[in-house]
Amino acid sequence: MRADDGRELWTEVSGTGPAVVLVHGGPGLWDMFGALAADLADRFTVWRWDQRGCGRSAPGGPYTVERFVADLDAVVTAAGAPVAVLGHSWGAQLALRYALAHPDRVTRLVYLAGTGLSPTAWKPAFHAAFVRRIGPDAARLLALRERYDRAAAVLQWTADVADPARAEEIAEAMATPWFAVNMDVNAGIAADVAAHWDEAALEEACRQLTVPTLILDGAADIRPRWALDTLAAALPGVTRVTLPGVGHVPWLEAPDAALPPLRAFLEAGRERLGVQDVQALGRAGDRDVEVVDPAG
């Protein structure tokens, strides 16, 4: 499909039912939601897409938050607004910014493993946790990152997985298929955020957001979960589900735990799921969920 400036964006549509638009992480990466799309396609029409300059989409800026919000609006329009929007990591930030700009076009918002309202406060804790988890591979990663190829990405992404026995397997799945990381996109978004991100204004805007929101993440994510506290407290219609023993990619690490609360939230007809509802639907096998209710 094409954005409003003519830039070609890769999209893939599967399933049947109400539309859900998936927004991948990065910036500079590509859609890695194949497994999640397959898990949701029995009840939802799932729209996947690569952000501009990423994966299978055409390059060409500007690489700014405003431009990416406009691109997401093009996908939402094609999907038949209003729709549910799910964003992961950087994509969670982008999905939130879209919902704030176009609340009438979003039925439900899923904020999956994001980093909260501050663009920087979480980073020191993240880097320290990354070094601890990557351990003796840190020196090898530094050497590989000179060219940042697939081997470097896989090694880096192992730190995103809580279970070391499965870390390489899941990182390999994230890197398959492989597309070169677009560092221009990464640098462009970083520069735009540094210049224009207004945390106080975002917090105030979140207080006015009426879109029901699910914050879903893993307790073992190396991005500190306390970074989301301000966001969770600001949103008036939020349910927060944290999965113990899970890292940054819950749909790949623990689909048995992540899918029930996600599906329940997307399918719910009420304005807001109650804590007990999500707690019950989130249990699967020997896993449980911790639900944090900002309203007490």
Side-chain angles (χ1 to χ4, degrees):
M1 61 166 291
R2 291 184 182 273
D4 59 2
D5 65 349
R7 195 71 57 194
E8 289 187 349
L9 303 175
W10 174 87
T11 58
E12 182 173 286
V13 186
S14 60
T16 183
V20 180
V21 174
L22 307 182
V23 187
H24 67 77
L29 300 180
W30 52 89
D31 177 275
M32 300 176 183
F33 283 127
L36 181 60
D39 285 330
L40 295 177
D42 62 327
R43 298 295 297 273
F44 303 96
T45 301
V46 183
W47 285 71
R48 301 163 58 195
W49 65 293
D50 285 343
Q51 295 157 28
R52 70 170 52 212
C54 302
R56 293 143 287 198
S57 288
Y63 298 135
T64 64
V65 175
E66 182 179 11
R67 179 63 260 175
F68 279 43
V69 166
D71 290 348
L72 176 51
D73 191 49
V75 180
V76 169
T77 298
V83 303
V85 178
L86 178 154
H88 172 249
S89 196
W90 142 252
Q93 308 289 59
L94 178 55
L96 173 64
R97 293 294 293 265
Y98 181 79
L100 292 173
H102 303 285
D104 57 322
R105 297 173 67 78
V106 181
T107 58
R108 290 185 170 258
L109 173 66
V110 180
Y111 190 91
L112 178 60
T115 54
L117 294 179
S118 171
T120 58
W122 56 275
K123 288 187 176 181
F126 162 72
H127 289 302
F130 175 82
V131 170
R132 287 194 300 271
R133 188 168 287 179
I134 206 74
D137 285 325
R140 183 161 67 94
L141 178 59
L142 286 174
L144 287 171
R145 288 185 72 176
E146 289 296 319
R147 59 183 186 272
Y148 207 85
D149 59 6
R150 187 180 189 279
V154 168
L155 180 56
Q156 177 175 324
W157 295 342
T158 60
D160 284 329
V161 182
D163 182 359
R166 299 186 62 218
E168 186 172 355
E169 166 204 342
I170 291 173
E172 285 281 351
M174 294 167 66
T176 305
W178 171 257
F179 304 96
V181 178
N182 191 327
M183 299 308 294
D184 290 337
V185 172
N186 190 281
I189 294 293
D192 184 53
V193 166
H196 301 115
W197 196 274
D198 187 333
E199 184 178 347
L202 283 175
E203 182 177 353
E204 181 56 33
C206 286
R207 296 187 190 282
Q208 310 305 317
L209 186 65
T210 59
V211 176
T213 302
L214 171 66
I215 296 177
L216 177 63
D217 54 15
D221 194 332
I222 57 176
R223 296 148 189 81
R225 297 300 84 202
W226 52 256
L228 277 73
D229 291 348
T230 303
L231 171 63
L235 291 168
V238 68
T239 299
R240 187 171 180 179
V241 176
T242 301
L243 307 173
V246 178
H248 191 56
V249 283
W251 75 96
L252 292 176
E253 295 179 68
D256 60 329
L259 283 171
L262 174 58
R263 291 174 68 100
F265 176 77
L266 291 173
E267 292 172 354
R270 287 170 289 165
E271 274 294 295
R272 184 177 187 275
L273 281 177
V275 168
Q276 291 181 346
D277 299 319
V278 180
Q279 186 94 45
L281 288 163
R283 293 192 179 96
D286 61 354
R287 287 189 178 272
D288 204 347
V289 298
E290 175 188 359
V291 179
V292 180
D293 183 2

